[in-house]
Amino acid sequence: MAVPVAFFAVFFALPVAAIVRRGLDTDGSWQFGRITDVLGQPDIRHVLWFTTWQALVSTALTLLVALPGAYVFARFDFPGKQILRAVVTVPFVLPTVVVGTAFLALVGRGGLLDEWWGVRLDTTVWAILLAHVFFNYAVVVRTVGGLWAQLDPRQEEAARMLGASPLTAWRKVTLPALGPAVAAAALMVFLFTFTSFGVVQILGGPTFSTLEVEIYRQTSEIFDLSTAAVLTIIQFVAVGAVLALHAWTVRRRESALRLVDASVTARRPRGAGEWALLAGVLAVVAVLLVLPLAVLVQRSLGAPDFGYYRALTHSDGGVFLVAPIEAIGNSLEYALAATVIAVVVGGLAAAALTRRDAGRWVRGFDALLMLPLGVSAVTVGFGFLISLDEPPLDLRQSWILVPLAQALVGVPFVVRTMLPVLRAVDHRLREAAAVLGAAPWRVWREVDLPMVRRALLIAAGFAFAVSLGEFGATVFIARPDNPTLPVAVARLLGRAGDLNYGQAMALSTILMIVCAVALLVLERLRTDRTGEF
């Protein structure tokens, strides 16, 4: 636990504490009355209200749209299922900047809806809600569908034999069993939409602002660290409550169910109703998930002779000190370094959490590992600049600062992927190896590693994908001469002109392809045990 604890203390707790202290500590005295002052501002109350209700509506819409898909992937077996599973998961690993850009190409000025019907949604809340459903569809399908596939269907069949209608059997038998998984998925979707930044930043414009966007505005545009610190505290408390609920639902799910092999529950659809359900889910995937990405690619090819892509090779000497195409190499280098850091830190944390003699404080650290997913990435990024500015941790000019920030987001995915597999390793194998004289390191190398190698590769893939798309913290600490792909996309979208817009679409397409390739590799490595988030 020494390395994970030190990593989170220095690169997470310290930056967040530095922002809070800088905002609330004035002349050596803490101004806690500032919290009341900030909450009393009408515009801040409007931001809090919008952040909460859009997250609730986004969560409800995601469950409504994705639960039928979870059932189809859990219970039906059909050609192309594995490829479709990868397609469904692509939006989740895409950077939020790319998601916002894709929907901007679909519903914004000159987008597909604007061209066909003269309708623009980029200035309405519907664009944000649809983008959130697009982004979180896979969370519900994977989380709920993964459990649904392992529920014994004979329990529902027994209820039907006793005279229950299909709806009653589902409501009385299946739904209670799925309840913890549905609750866990809903809480995760709420968490991601409550802290939404890239999507709202691009699609919301000046009209709509979440807490995360407002923290960014107060920090980088208004330079009001006091207000930003108060908003950070509010978001931290809200995220902590959501994560506590999530941990409770996960424990309940793990302890209350008896599961079967998922491979024996899937079958081909039967009857017109089931085929219609499959067709409906495929239509939703095509319209909601595939169409925005297809429009993104189409817009990137809008100039003759791949003009937007060729323009990426030139520097304009303005926003970019280097050619935008260099952001690809920068992102890959940063993501690889972040993946190594995330795998080492997350792997050590997962190994410590699965020890039988782990104390309560060690198990409690499991919940803390999820905090970087919900705490403001903007706060972390700006906190890096003001806390890591003195020897021996003066890293503001070091290239390692970006991978460190990206690794904070990757570590929770590594832990969540490796924990189930490590917990499944029979502890008696370790004890037998130790009795035979093997040192602890050799026990890990000879017993644990062969069993968790596949999960380790999957964890590394997820860490690479999420590191590649990290935006909230990177936008503060990426140097102008070394931008990452998400930062470059955001800078291009912030400039007027069709050429800049086209280059943003081209860079987003490249980033989407890199993430999709990484995901397809993960899908080939995926096993039934590691099929859930």
Side-chain angles (χ1 to χ4, degrees), residues 49-136:
W49 168 243
F50 175 75
T51 301
T52 304
W53 82 257
Q54 67 82 23
L56 290 171
V57 174
S58 296
T59 302
L61 284 176
T62 304
L63 290 175
L64 181 65
V65 173
L67 282 176
Y71 175 79
V72 165
F73 279 99
R75 294 304 197 199
F76 292 168
D77 188 16
F78 52 90
K81 180 178 177 179
Q82 297 302 321
I83 296 178
L84 189 63
R85 189 195 299 271
V87 170
V88 165
T89 314
V90 164
F92 180 75
V93 299
L94 284 180
T96 55
V97 171
V98 174
V99 174
T101 307
F103 272 83
L104 193 65
L106 179 63
V107 304
R109 176 182 58 84
L112 190 65
L113 294 183
D114 191 15
E115 289 183 355
W116 286 5
W117 297 294
V119 176
R120 289 181 56 185
L121 298 178
D122 57 323
T123 56
T124 71
V125 73
W126 281 106
I128 296 173
L129 297 178
L130 290 175
H132 283 162
V133 175
F134 168 91
F135 184 77
N136 293 292

Side-chain angles (χ1 to χ4, degrees), residues 329-350:
N330 296 335
S331 288
L332 292 176
E333 292 175 1
Y334 288 146
L336 286 173
T339 300
V340 173
I341 297 171
V343 168
V344 171
V345 175
L348 290 172

Side-chain angles (χ1 to χ4, degrees), residues 381-395:
F382 194 69
F384 269 31
L385 296 180
I386 65 174
S387 63
L388 304 179
D389 60 343
E390 295 180 359
L393 291 174
D394 187 2
L395 303 177

